[in-house]
Amino acid sequence: MYMNMTQKKTKNRHKKPKNGVTFEDEVKEILDKEHHISKPQLKTYLLKVHKGELGYSEKTIDRKLSQMKKEDLPRLGYDDYEKYGIIEKNKKVVIYVSEKYKKLKEDLDKIFEYIKSDDPVAQKLAFEEIRRHDGEYFFDPEQLDILASRLDSKDNEFVNSLVDTLCEYILGRDTEPSNKDKLLEILRNLLNKCNIGSFEYPNLRRHVLWLLAHYKDSTVIDQLKRDAEKLEDPTNIVAEYCNEYVAPLIEEHLFELFDLQIKLRQEGKEKASQFISQIKDYACDPKNKLRALERNTSLYERIEKLREERT
């Protein structure tokens, strides 16, 4: 139970507490540490840290915040929330941001412009610089469109990193590119170029399949059929199709895949038929077998963490 200090005098409002830090300085320190924080969160934090202290009732905190200069306590407009990675549907919630963080965001926005350029060296260096500030800088849907457009790069390392980032945002942060049709077209083209069992980037094709499956794109099923019919032993890549993103598609195309199994058996392609059977087994058992295969990539773990942060 918090103390009601409204009846107390306010002549000591600017007096420094025992630790020598003024209210204004403390708020600035919190902002610099958190980058941005909503007014309700800030008040809750101050009430908890200063429980029972003079000058830290809810009304007093409200008054002190309203008396701070705008340049010391900048606010974000609702239209800027997404650019700062903020998930907040209530437009009336006040969100404060630190000047230091605003400056960082402005600098990284300028650097992002290089990803739009035609210079492949500048594109990659700009992307790496921004990713260095992961957790501090967030791509908005239009910027994700730009990243997707760079998947035609001849630099496989760059492409692999771009796909990982798109997975983190689309699957983990629930932030999607604004042009979904263009994204799917790009991903389909990339899937055709991906080599199975690439030693250098073994998970690239799998992550492209994740993204296509997320959008319920039937290209995933077409690729599965090609793998079953053309590969000598497709069971070696069964894990690429055993995940929570592909599983719903498998169930939607159950009869189609059953029909393919009959054809494969009739042709004496036992391993190919077994490949289809294993994928269907995992799709029907999403809680146990499925989880074990999903977690064999660090990207999946990052996506899971991002999901937890959203809830």
Side-chain angles (χ1 to χ4, degrees):
M1 185 173 181
Y2 300 115
M3 291 179 64
N4 183 356
M5 304 302 296
T6 54
Q7 74 279 15
K8 300 291 184 180
K9 294 180 180 179
T10 59
K11 64 180 181 180
N12 292 324
R13 175 164 50 87
H14 296 291
K15 185 178 179 181
K16 290 186 178 181
K18 292 179 181 179
N19 61 7
V21 179
T22 65
F23 177 86
E24 290 78 5
D25 288 340
E26 182 179 14
V27 169
K28 290 179 187 177
E29 286 179 8
I30 293 169
L31 278 177
D32 283 342
K33 181 180 178 182
E34 300 296 328
H35 300 319
H36 53 73
I37 189 170
S38 70
K39 186 176 181 180
Q41 288 173 326
L42 178 59
K43 286 168 60 178
T44 298
Y45 173 81
L46 291 169
L47 284 167
K48 183 178 179 180
V49 171
H50 297 282
K51 185 177 180 180
E53 291 184 29
L54 180 66
Y56 282 92
S57 69
E58 188 168 351
K59 282 189 175 181
T60 307
I61 291 172
D62 270 328
R63 188 184 71 249
K64 288 181 177 180
L65 289 174
S66 67
Q67 290 173 343
M68 287 183 68
K69 296 177 181 178
K70 289 184 179 181
E71 57 266 29
D72 292 333
L73 195 61
R75 295 185 181 189
L76 285 178
Y78 185 75
D79 292 340
D80 292 324
Y81 287 4
E82 193 170 50
K83 297 175 183 177
Y84 283 82
I86 298 170
I87 302 171
E88 177 57 68
K89 295 181 180 179
N90 187 350
K91 295 183 180 182
K92 294 182 179 180
V93 173
V94 173
I95 295 182
Y96 303 119
V97 61
S98 75
E99 278 294 341
K100 186 177 179 181
Y101 184 50
K102 279 184 71 177
K103 175 65 166 56
L104 174 65
K105 174 76 167 63
E106 289 168 2
D107 287 345
L108 292 175
D109 279 343
K110 293 174 185 176
I111 290 174
F112 185 86
E113 292 299 309
Y114 287 91
I115 300 180
K116 296 180 182 180
S117 73
D118 295 327
D119 183 345
V121 174
Q123 290 171 10
K124 186 177 181 180
L125 283 175
F127 177 75
E128 290 174 349
E129 182 62 40
I130 291 173
R131 290 300 283 169
R132 189 171 286 121
H133 296 274
D134 185 37
E136 296 180 305
Y137 186 89
F138 300 90
F139 299 114
D140 62 31
E142 287 70 31
Q143 288 176 317
L144 292 177
D145 285 339
I146 301 297
L147 296 186
S149 72
R150 295 297 172 241
L151 289 176
D152 62 357
S153 170
K154 295 180 181 179
D155 186 329
N156 291 333
E157 181 184 37
F158 186 30
V159 170
N160 189 64
S161 297
L162 287 170
V163 169
D164 281 4
T165 297
L166 288 169
C167 282
E168 288 177 21
Y169 274 78
I170 295 170
L171 307 177
R173 299 185 189 276
D174 197 26
T175 300
E176 305 191 357
S178 60
N179 193 335
K180 186 182 81 171
D181 292 338
K182 185 62 178 177
L183 171 67
L184 290 175
E185 179 186 339
I186 293 168
L187 289 172
R188 291 180 197 123
N189 290 334
L190 180 58
L191 181 62
N192 288 331
K193 298 175 185 177
C194 288
N195 295 321
I196 294 174
S198 169
F199 177 76
E200 195 173 8
Y201 303 104
N203 291 316
L204 177 58
R205 196 179 91 126
R206 178 184 307 188
H207 297 160
V208 172
L209 287 169
W210 285 5
L211 291 170
L212 287 167
H214 169 77
Y215 291 105
K216 301 289 190 293
D217 192 88
S218 61
T219 303
V220 175
I221 300 300
D222 294 338
Q223 185 62 54
L224 189 158
K225 289 157 104 176
R226 283 195 293 272
D227 290 342
E229 293 179 307
K230 295 183 178 181
L231 297 179
E232 185 176 343
D233 185 3
T235 58
N236 291 328
I237 61 163
V238 69
E240 294 194 1
Y241 295 96
C242 292
N243 55 74
E244 65 177 271
Y245 313 112
V246 177
L249 265 181
I250 300 301
E251 294 181 334
E252 288 178 16
H253 294 264
L254 200 60
F255 178 75
E256 188 179 340
L257 293 174
F258 175 74
D259 220 26
L260 176 60
Q261 269 189 283
I262 294 176
K263 177 176 177 290
L264 292 170
R265 284 284 179 92
Q266 290 173 341
E267 294 175 353
K269 296 179 179 179
E270 294 295 327
K271 288 184 177 179
S273 179
Q274 182 184 358
F275 168 66
I276 301 292
S277 185
Q278 287 176 332
I279 292 171
K280 290 196 294 183
D281 284 345
Y282 287 122
C284 292
D285 189 11
K287 290 184 179 179
N288 299 314
K289 298 176 183 177
L290 190 61
R291 291 281 175 182
L293 281 176
E294 285 172 343
R295 289 187 174 141
N296 59 3
T297 70
S298 59
L299 177 60
Y300 183 82
E301 293 174 357
R302 294 202 301 275
I303 290 171
E304 284 288 277
K305 184 177 179 181
L306 289 169
R307 283 174 169 171
E308 290 173 4
E309 291 173 355
R310 291 204 331 260
T311 58

